[in-house]
């Protein structure tokens, strides 16, 4: 079944309000997707994510493949059931972590051989294998296997990387189409299958980005992601690449910018017509004591908060801000208490999800 993406409203600036109908959840877009690396959004339990109104979360294929293993997860009914998450899931292709975390990588046209960062064991990932692993995990959305081009990359390197990503996109799609019905929940969900998104790469070269987008659209994926951004480049370059690619993507399919960003960035991109975004920033920063608030970023470790009886963010009505003080959050951090990461993460996620909620309601009423 084709992916259902119902556009409800579109503004002149390109921002759109839509419903993305996935096998496990109807997702209201634009949406921010918390990252659940190894089957958990770090330090935040699933029922809390539900109460924060998270509609879709990410799982990282590389981590889940290494531990506990995709076959084990398949035997347990897929990732939704294994982690007790009834709403939507998206898995990445494993490519990004293979390139960023693993050791002794060897890339060929066939695929990537790498050593696990956990125990040094040797593994070989191909586009076909990435699809098999993602089908076993059974997220609602899987991603084509790609090479995330590093920054900076010279023209030749970016071209070569793009050539690989395009060949792998074709192979991912062919293999996926032949096996997409093998997801663990296929019958249970009324014979609805998984969806596959292609990933636009091309480094920071506008023409390579255009070429990548056009070729992927020709292949006809269920949705399109823009990858290889937020890899250390200046922000105006990120924006330039997104602006270059968005008009080339079909209006009736979802667009996902991977791995962004700061609160003002996700708002800006959503207003331009990006439907989906994910980032580890709210949860990672939280574990380091960095809170995103309506008054800007605050570092809760600061001595000035030692006896601050105010809420973390006076404008936030999340469960943390309603109950706890800055002084208490600082104390938890200072004492190295496990609750620290949990409470900080809950607030930051509430802040990110709240931004998207406001953007959605504004997009709803604008023409
Ligand atoms: Zn809050």
């Amino acid at each position: 079944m084709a992916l259902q993406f119902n556009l409800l409203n579109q503004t002149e600036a390109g921002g759109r309000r839509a419903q993305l109908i996935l096998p496990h959840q109807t997702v209201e877009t634009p949406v921010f997707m918390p990252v659940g690396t190894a089957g958990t959004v770090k330090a935040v339990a699933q029922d809390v994510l539900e109460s924060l109104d998270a509609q879709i979360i990410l799982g990282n294929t590389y981590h889940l493949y290494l531990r506990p293993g995709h076959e084990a997860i398949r035997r347990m009914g897929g990732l939704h059931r294994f982690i007790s998450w009834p709403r939507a899931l998206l898995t990445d292709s494993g490519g990004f972590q293979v390139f960023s975390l693993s050791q002794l990588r060897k890339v060929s046209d066939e695929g990537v051989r790498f050593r696990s960062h956990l125990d040094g064991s040797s593994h070989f990932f191909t586009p076909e294998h990435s699809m098999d692993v993602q089908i076993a995990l059974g997220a609602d959305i899987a991603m084509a296997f790609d090479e995330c081009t590093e920054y900076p990359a010279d023209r030749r390197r970016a071209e070569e990387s793009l050539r690989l990503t395009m060949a792998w996109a074709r192979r991912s799609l062919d293999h996926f189409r032949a096996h997409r019905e093998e997801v663990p929940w296929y019958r249970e969900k009324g014979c609805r299958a998984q969806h596959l998104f292609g990933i636009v790469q091309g480094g920071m070269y506008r023409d390579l980005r255009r070429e990548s987008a056009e070729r992927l659209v020709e292949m006809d994926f269920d949705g399109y992601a823009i990858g290889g951004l937020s890899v250390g480049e200046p922000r105006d370059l990120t924006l330039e690449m997104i602006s270059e690619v968005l008009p080339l993507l079909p209006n009736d399919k979802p667009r996902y910018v991977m791995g962004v960003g700061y609160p003002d960035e996700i708002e800006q991109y959503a207003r331009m017509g990006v439907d989906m975004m994910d980032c580890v920033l709210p949860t990672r920063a939280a574990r380091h004591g960095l809170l995103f608030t309506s008054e800007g970023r605050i570092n809760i470790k600061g001595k000035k908060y030692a006896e601050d009886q105010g809420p973390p963010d006076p404008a936030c009505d999340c469960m943390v801000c309603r109950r706890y003080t800055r002084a208490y959050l600082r104390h938890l951090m200072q004492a190295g208490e496990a609750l620290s990461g949990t409470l900080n993460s809950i607030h930051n996620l509430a802040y990110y999800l709240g931004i998207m909620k406001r953007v959605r309601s504004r997009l709803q009423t604008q023409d």
Side-chain angles (χ1 to χ4, degrees), residues 200 208-217 245 248-249:
V200 175
L208 294 184
R209 287 278 173 181
R210 281 201 303 276
E211 182 194 333
S212 178
E214 284 162 1
R215 287 174 61 188
L216 289 175
V217 170
V245 171
L248 302 172
L249 300 177

Side-chain angles (χ1 to χ4, degrees), residues 312-313 316-321 346-348 350:
D313 181 353
C316 179
D317 70 344
C318 83
M319 60 184 83
V320 176
C321 293
I346 291 172
H347 164 74
N348 276 355

Side-chain angles (χ1 to χ4, degrees), residues 45-54 84-87:
Q46 278 72 326
D47 62 317
V48 177
L49 292 170
E50 283 173 2
S51 68
L52 290 173
D53 243 351
S84 300
W85 177 252
R87 299 184 180 176

